[in-house]
Amino acid sequence: MRVKELHPLCCITLESPQTLDDDDGDDANKPPLNLARSRSLPATSLTGGSNRRSVTTAGSVAGILYKWTNFSKGWRSRYFLLRNGILSYSKIRRPENLNLLSSSDDVRLIGNISADRLSRMDSCSGRRKQEKSVGIVHLKVSSFRESKSDDRKFYIFTATKTLHLRTDSISDRAAWLQALASAKCIFPLRSLNGDFSFTSPKDLSISTERLKKRLHEAGMNENLVKECEQIMLSEFSEMHGQIKLLHEERTNLFDALRQLEEANLEAGGSVIHSSLGRGKYSECSTTASSDDKQEFEDVSEEDEPSFHDTKEYFNEPNIGSGSNLSNNNSGYADIKRRTKLPDPAEKEKAVSLWSMIKDNVGKDLTRVCLPVYFNEPISSLQKCFEDLEYSYLLDRAYEHGKSGNGLLRALNVAAFAVSGYASTEGRHCKPFNPLLGETYEADFPEKGIRFFSEKVSHHPTVIASHCEGKGWKFWGDTNLRSKFWGRSIQVEPVGVLTLEFDDGEVFQWSKVTSTIYNIILGKLYCDHHGVMQIRGNRQYSCTLKFKEQSILERNPHQVNGFVEDVAGQKAATVFGKWDDCLHYVAGDGVSKTKVSDPASNASLLWRRTKPPLNVTRYNLTSFAITLNELTPGLKEMLPPTDSRLRPDQRHLENGEYEKANLEKQRLERRQRMSRQLQESGWRPRWFEQQGENETFKYTGGYWEARGHKKWDDCPNIFGEFTEEQLADSA
């Protein structure tokens, strides 16, 4: 049998590259390129042995474009190079440093600036420093369109960001758009879906007949011929094994690329921009129009992403419903929770934030009545439960302490304290302020936890919560003091959170300060800063510093700290980002060690889960999307005080904005009477304060009343009311 001829790279049979060289039949229908000046450099071909075909790459396109960076730097010139379906760009520090092309490249230049600068480059002598590429865009999984408001601007959309670009003239923009369109035609998306065929290693075979015949002709005896044949078969067997492994690797690689293309195609074709105070989010694609007022909502190219390649020391356990907390009468155990919010029933109208709060500078923002446009469809009671999204960290901490490893227990408690901030990234809307006596329950048997919260005071606003897990209890109360300072909103949590394990070990801490910046102008962003002291009553405690983000911060959201024993000796160093992950190094390590460095011995404590596929302007996490859900049979089990039954919040979730505003105004009138109600002797139903300045603690009885559906002591706080009824209830 004959050995099949293999491609030198991973057994891939390539189709003829004639589509790269021949003129497309549709070119006659394309608009001609209008270039101010152009210059071509000779093309070269890649030639191998005599049995290899000559391959010529498609002509490249290059030029100077202006890219929007950020509000502090504005538009900056960048050198762009379009080659083989990839658009790369780099900074231009001086014209003579524009040595990005070799004399062998076939490049067409767009625009006068590009030609002028390159002519200067040709006249310069001496050694030049190669410019470092700043960004790369794969056109295969990207889209683009022109601006509707400026005939020199156009946009390129990827799955993660939007490039805002500007040319010097209308003709230059047309030339760039034509070049991008041509590149997508030459390198279509189907290239990974059918243009590669693999030769399976099973189809490979070898024949030794010619070898044996030649050896016999040379006069060798039969034993020597068989020995040579065996050597050849052994070598082929080893080569066959290597080819098989290579084939599997390449197959897995192309499968991954196909999945990436499908995911990026969905995300790249519909890029959603959300912004508080702009009234809507728009879907931008190659055909749909969008509001150009949102064109500056882009990440700065100065913000470089962090890549980590570290030892995944822990894996999230699969906590089943076999916890001692599972309630067979819960009515919604083992139910599939939703993955998206309901589709809006009506179009949302824009509201000016500045017009609403310009007269409230320096005041407590919780007392300012805002339209529902500035709310997200969950209440502050439900937002407290978001801190329990990564409750598996406490389950881990319980098991480590149970096995005698107090250090890992303290480390997992620290990771849990940090993980509660991950859901705040991109969350610029305000949760609903609960009514006095409003409650919220969350029974999640699949996570092994049961949570309950209640608004126990209106002035000051205090929310108390209690959660039970596998071998631990977590409770606390929070009083949010918020101030509006013109450009930012600062929120200072007041209160102590307590975590108690069944073996008696207790940890306590308070949250750090949170600030939302650029309320009036610029891109909104949230930051958490301050020092968090996690105090333990046994061997270990932890100190975490949330670094405040500066204007020129290249690596924001940093958290650094350490765990120390009772003698004050550092037992471990903790470092990471509150919106991404947290790592630790045993001993008194260096917190600034790169996690990607194998010598760092960094171990992963926690990593944030991936964002949901169904993005809305609220930027809710997959976990937060489930919090206000009324699963089948749940409504009949809830007390009339539960946040899920609040009408304005429910209307907002359904996209019924007019009804939501009317209901919120009605409930705000009742809210303003709450202080009078509290001064008349009102007391919370499920929590009791231990002392004047002590924490509210859960008194018990809620889940028992739920099992019997006995809510006689729970008034319908969301129903119709009069001032006389309110006075009678006091």
Side-chain angles (χ1 to χ4, degrees):
M1 299 178 64
R2 298 178 59 189
V3 181
K4 291 190 176 181
E5 184 179 3
L6 301 179
H7 190 278
L9 294 178
C10 66
C11 312
I12 299 177
T13 303
L14 292 178
E15 291 187 357
S16 172
Q18 62 182 358
T19 55
L20 303 182
D21 300 322
D22 299 341
D23 292 334
D24 194 345
D26 295 335
D27 283 350
N29 298 325
K30 296 178 181 178
L33 295 181
N34 187 5
L35 305 181
R37 294 178 64 178
S38 64
R39 185 183 67 174
S40 294
L41 301 176
T44 60
S45 60
L46 304 175
T47 58
S50 59
N51 60 339
R52 297 185 187 178
R53 288 179 295 181
S54 175
V55 180
T56 58
T57 59
S60 304
V61 176
I64 304 295
L65 290 174
Y66 297 94
K67 178 181 178 294
W68 176 262
T69 55
N70 51 49
F71 278 96
S72 62
K73 295 185 178 181
W75 295 94
R76 292 299 176 97
S77 59
R78 298 289 182 263
Y79 182 85
F80 280 78
L81 175 62
L82 176 58
R83 173 189 286 150
N84 295 338
I86 297 177
L87 180 69
S88 60
Y89 57 95
S90 59
K91 296 180 180 179
I92 304 172
R93 309 198 185 279
R94 290 179 301 177
E96 58 268 21
N97 284 342
L98 197 58
N99 188 16
L100 299 173
L101 302 172
S102 65
S103 59
S104 61
D105 288 329
D106 180 15
V107 179
R108 184 180 63 219
L109 303 176
I110 298 179
N112 288 318
I113 297 180
S114 301
D116 293 342
R117 293 200 175 188
L118 283 181
S119 63
R120 278 184 236 167
M121 180 196 74
D122 293 336
S123 62
C124 293
S125 60
R127 305 178 68 179
R128 304 176 181 119
K129 182 179 178 181
Q130 184 75 15
E131 285 290 311
K132 182 180 178 181
S133 178
V134 172
I136 294 177
V137 176
H138 293 266
L139 295 182
K140 187 187 298 294
V141 289
S142 304
S143 59
F144 55 89
R145 71 164 181 84
E146 71 279 4
S147 171
K148 304 300 181 183
S149 61
D150 191 323
D151 52 15
R152 293 186 301 160
K153 293 181 185 177
F154 65 98
Y155 312 103
I156 298 179
F157 306 103
T158 71
T160 57
K161 64 179 180 179
T162 301
L163 295 182
H164 305 269
L165 305 175
R166 192 183 68 189
T167 61
D168 283 319
S169 64
I170 302 176
S171 60
D172 286 352
R173 186 182 76 167
W176 273 107
L177 292 176
Q178 181 64 48
L180 293 172
S182 299
K184 287 184 72 72
C185 292
I186 294 175
F187 301 94
L189 192 61
R190 65 176 182 273
S191 60
L192 291 182
N193 294 331
D195 288 353
F196 292 99
S197 59
F198 293 91
T199 301
S200 173
K202 295 186 296 183
D203 299 333
L204 301 178
S205 61
I206 189 172
S207 173
T208 61
E209 293 300 325
R210 294 176 57 191
L211 174 64
K212 291 192 294 184
K213 181 179 178 181
R214 181 67 183 88
L215 293 176
H216 283 134
E217 292 175 352
M220 293 186 180
N221 59 48
E222 188 64 27
N223 291 335
L224 187 58
V225 170
K226 289 184 178 180
E227 184 178 351
C228 292
E229 181 184 18
Q230 190 61 38
I231 293 175
M232 182 176 179
L233 292 175
S234 176
E235 292 292 329
F236 175 78
S237 177
E238 183 178 350
M239 182 190 70
H240 185 273
Q242 295 176 358
I243 293 176
K244 183 178 180 181
L245 291 176
L246 188 61
H247 177 271
E248 293 176 354
E249 291 177 359
R250 295 301 186 269
T251 302
N252 294 335
L253 173 63
F254 280 99
D255 287 343
L257 287 175
R258 289 189 186 99
Q259 296 175 6
L260 178 63
E261 280 188 347
E262 293 173 358
N264 283 347
L265 183 61
E266 295 176 0
S270 176
V271 181
I272 297 178
H273 300 272
S274 60
S275 173
L276 180 62
R278 285 184 169 86
K280 62 182 178 180
Y281 60 89
S282 59
E283 298 183 358
C284 303
S285 66
T286 56
T287 57
S289 74
S290 86
D291 189 354
D292 289 334
K293 293 181 180 180
Q294 301 180 6
E295 64 185 4
F296 297 133
E297 292 194 38
D298 187 20
V299 295
S300 170
E301 65 181 36
E302 311 297 335
D303 299 332
E304 298 178 354
S306 301
F307 297 94
H308 302 291
D309 183 13
T310 183
K311 176 173 57 179
E312 301 289 335
Y313 189 79
F314 295 117
N315 291 319
E316 180 175 350
N318 184 12
I319 303 173
S321 58
S323 167
N324 55 0
L325 294 176
S326 68
N327 186 351
N328 294 331
N329 296 324
S330 65
Y332 62 108
D334 302 326
I335 195 169
K336 184 178 180 181
R337 304 189 186 275
R338 67 185 182 183
T339 58
K340 64 184 294 292
L341 295 178
D343 295 328
E346 59 189 63
K347 186 176 180 180
E348 196 170 14
K349 297 180 180 179
V351 179
S352 172
L353 177 62
W354 178 245
S355 65
M356 299 300 303
I357 59 178
K358 63 182 179 181
D359 297 327
N360 297 287
V361 176
K363 297 182 180 180
D364 186 351
L365 195 63
T366 59
R367 305 186 68 184
V368 178
C369 182
L370 298 175
V372 294
Y373 175 78
F374 300 107
N375 288 101
E376 58 184 6
I378 61 174
S379 70
S380 296
L381 297 168
Q382 295 165 313
K383 202 168 183 67
C384 288
F385 183 52
E386 281 198 76
D387 289 349
L388 277 299
E389 178 176 358
Y390 302 95
S391 60
Y392 69 84
L393 293 168
L394 299 184
D395 297 328
R396 259 189 214 154
Y398 170 72
E399 295 296 336
H400 285 304
K402 190 177 179 180
S403 62
N405 196 331
L407 176 59
L408 280 179
R409 169 176 282 189
L411 285 168
N412 277 274
V413 171
F416 171 76
V418 173
S419 68
Y421 293 96
S423 63
T424 63
E425 174 64 14
R427 298 275 290 278
H428 306 140
C429 292
K430 179 178 178 286
F432 278 87
N433 186 18
L435 301 182
L436 186 63
E438 186 173 335
T439 63
Y440 175 71
E441 68 156 67
D443 189 359
F444 277 60
E446 67 271 26
K447 296 175 70 69
I449 58 176
R450 200 165 58 179
F451 172 89
F452 179 74
S453 60
E454 179 183 12
K455 182 173 180 179
V456 296
S457 173
H458 175 65
H459 190 72
T461 299
V462 179
I463 294 174
S465 60
H466 180 88
C467 185
E468 300 175 3
K470 185 179 180 181
W472 53 268
K473 295 180 180 179
F474 177 67
W475 71 88
D477 57 38
T478 303
N479 173 20
L480 297 178
R481 296 177 181 174
S482 59
K483 294 290 184 179
F484 174 63
W485 298 115
R487 292 185 61 253
S488 63
I489 298 176
Q490 183 171 307
V491 180
E492 297 181 359
V494 179
V496 178
L497 302 176
T498 302
L499 172 65
E500 181 179 6
F501 293 98
D502 286 355
D503 56 13
E505 187 168 12
V506 177
F507 293 90
Q508 290 185 318
W509 66 91
S510 298
K511 290 196 169 188
V512 297
T513 301
S514 301
T515 305
I516 300 177
Y517 296 93
N518 295 338
I519 295 297
I520 305 304
L521 180 64
K523 184 176 181 180
L524 282 170
Y525 69 94
C526 177
D527 190 31
H528 308 286
H529 47 90
V531 177
M532 177 184 289
Q533 297 282 352
I534 304 177
R535 300 172 296 276
N537 67 340
R538 290 188 180 173
Q539 187 177 3
Y540 295 103
S541 296
C542 181
T543 300
L544 297 173
K545 181 180 180 180
F546 290 67
K547 183 180 178 182
E548 186 172 5
Q549 181 177 347
S550 63
I551 298 178
L552 302 178
E553 183 65 61
R554 295 177 60 87
N555 191 23
H557 308 164
Q558 293 185 60
V559 179
N560 297 280
F562 55 87
V563 175
E564 62 180 1
D565 57 22
V566 291
Q569 299 294 322
K570 290 185 180 180
T573 301
V574 181
F575 53 96
K577 302 176 73 173
W578 53 258
D579 65 332
D580 183 19
C581 58
L582 199 68
H583 298 79
Y584 83 94
V585 176
D588 188 6
V590 180
S591 61
K592 294 184 179 181
T593 302
K594 290 186 177 181
V595 183
S596 57
D597 185 2
S600 67
N601 294 321
S603 298
L604 179 69
L605 280 170
W606 158 81
R607 186 179 297 280
R608 179 186 179 183
T609 57
K610 295 181 180 180
L613 297 177
N614 304 292
V615 182
T616 67
R617 77 174 183 90
Y618 306 113
N619 284 328
L620 298 180
T621 63
S622 299
F623 182 66
I625 288 174
T626 67
L627 301 186
N628 200 47
E629 181 182 12
L630 278 172
T631 53
L634 177 60
K635 186 175 182 179
E636 293 74 15
M637 306 289 294
L638 296 175
T641 55
D642 194 276
S643 292
R644 295 180 182 89
L645 306 180
R646 179 166 175 161
D648 52 352
Q649 184 173 310
R650 181 61 58 185
H651 286 312
L652 177 61
E653 180 183 282
N654 294 332
E656 300 168 330
Y657 306 111
E658 293 297 333
K659 292 181 180 179
N661 275 314
L662 292 175
E663 284 293 336
K664 185 177 183 182
Q665 293 174 8
R666 181 180 68 86
L667 293 177
E668 285 289 346
R669 292 196 298 271
R670 181 163 190 160
Q671 184 81 294
R672 286 190 287 269
M673 303 175 190
S674 297
R675 184 170 185 175
Q676 178 184 353
L677 181 64
Q678 188 173 340
E679 293 174 349
S680 302
W682 180 91
R683 292 292 180 269
R685 174 65 180 84
W686 308 104
F687 289 85
E688 184 178 358
Q689 194 172 17
Q690 303 301 304
E692 184 177 355
N693 297 318
E694 298 295 325
T695 302
F696 282 85
K697 292 197 68 174
Y698 175 58
T699 58
Y702 176 83
W703 298 105
E704 293 75 12
R706 184 184 189 276
H708 296 91
K709 300 181 182 179
K710 188 177 181 181
W711 307 117
D712 298 339
D713 298 334
C714 299
N716 183 12
I717 61 175
F718 305 128
E720 298 295 334
F721 65 95
T722 61
E723 294 189 19
E724 291 77 11
Q725 290 174 330
L726 190 63
D728 294 340
S729 63

